[in-house]
Amino acid sequence: MDNRPIGVFDSGLGGLTAVRELRRLLPGEDIVYFGDTGRVPYGSRSKDAIIKYARQDVAFLTTFDLKAIVIACGTVSSTALELLQQENRCPIFGVVEPAAQAAAQASASGKIGLIGTEASIRSGAYERALERLRPGGTVTARACPLFVPLVENGRCRPGDAVVELVAAEYLTPLRQAGIDTLLMGCTHYPLLRDVVGAFFGPQVALIDVGAACIRQVKIYLAGQNLLSGRPNGGKGRYFVSDSVDGFARLASLFLGESLSEQVEQIDITAY
Ligand code: DGL
């Protein structure tokens, strides 16, 4: 039994979709969340910038006594996971491998679509994992740089002409490729599930990277006897690098419930 909190971070709010799953699957766990809202998005930045930011994010989180860290960000997971694991003693989990496993299992035909930020797609990390887990399959990948800003601005619901137009442009080549599974390789994308689901129809399985990762974290913690002793009532602490104004309102969209805990602003450049 281990009652220390789990650290979770993302470039912004998207990682809260992983927190939502964490609260659902492991309601007794305490959580420390950091969202780098002052520097979002990471997905259009260089590899060097993403590594620098990710190191600072982990340095901040490790000021807490954590039992594990979840990189609730496809961009950081695909760019810096191994490096962060080498540099830190605390176990660190990324979203790429668990999501690729879920996609490989879900796909009957092996025709898998992949969407993510520019940096995630450029890294090739998801494709390498899928190739290893589903040899001989076909991956059709597409960077979707407009999705994150649309989601962060709340433009993610069916009936919103702008997001539907952008989605159609990004996703049409994947539909033409005849995919049966779509790996949504960014933790912001679960908010687009209804738009994307309506575009493809029910015959395409949608894989949520944050949820896939949390399922794996649960298996790891249980296997190592590191689950908290509480069945319920885990607490959250939330930190951001930009103003806290409006955070709770937007955060509730990602969490699927209102955020009752305090949110604090920190200077991430100090780490
Ligand atoms: N949530 C991040 C991810 O999963 C994307 C946001 C960003 O570009 O910073 O990749």
Side-chain angles (χ1 to χ4, degrees), residues 10-12 14-15 40-44 72-76 117 120 148 185-188 209:
D10 179 40
S11 55
V40 69
Y42 285 6
S44 48
C73 174
T75 305
V76 174
T117 65
S120 294
V148 168
C186 169
T187 50
H188 280 71
V209 284

Side-chain angles (χ1 to χ4, degrees), residues 114-269:
L114 167 66
I115 56 175
T117 65
E118 283 170 308
S120 294
I121 301 301
R122 189 178 61 220
S123 77
Y126 283 109
E127 281 155 297
R128 284 193 297 278
L130 286 167
E131 174 55 33
R132 185 164 32 75
L133 294 160
R134 191 84 166 66
T138 320
V139 180
T140 307
R142 190 78 207 253
C144 304
L146 292 176
F147 273 170
V148 168
L150 283 169
V151 168
E152 294 252 339
N153 284 285
R155 305 293 298 268
C156 49
R157 298 211 176 78
D160 184 317
V162 175
V163 74
E164 287 186 340
L165 188 72
V166 171
E169 183 182 316
Y170 285 149
L171 303 177
T172 295
L174 283 73
R175 183 156 68 189
Q176 286 166 346
I179 63 165
D180 70 357
T181 301
L182 178 67
L183 197 171
M184 300 197 293
C186 169
T187 50
H188 280 71
Y189 296 175
L191 274 83
L192 293 165
R193 176 173 273 271
D194 291 345
V195 170
V196 173
F199 180 83
F200 283 110
Q203 64 279 9
V204 173
L206 304 181
I207 305 298
D208 172 340
V209 284
C213 178
I214 296 304
R215 289 195 293 274
Q216 200 173 82
V217 170
K218 181 179 178 182
I219 292 168
Y220 165 81
L221 293 176
Q224 302 289 318
N225 198 22
L226 292 175
L227 290 169
S228 89
R230 296 174 297 255
N232 276 301
K235 295 188 175 49
R237 294 189 66 181
Y238 294 85
F239 297 88
V240 290
S241 53
D242 200 355
S243 164
V244 300
D245 295 346
F247 177 85
R249 187 185 47 78
L250 255 184
S252 63
L253 275 181
F254 288 79
L255 283 171
E257 61 187 15
S258 58
L259 183 72
S260 48
E261 290 100 332
Q262 197 72 25
V263 184
E264 294 165 56
Q265 183 176 356
I266 58 144
D267 176 8
I268 191 65
T269 61

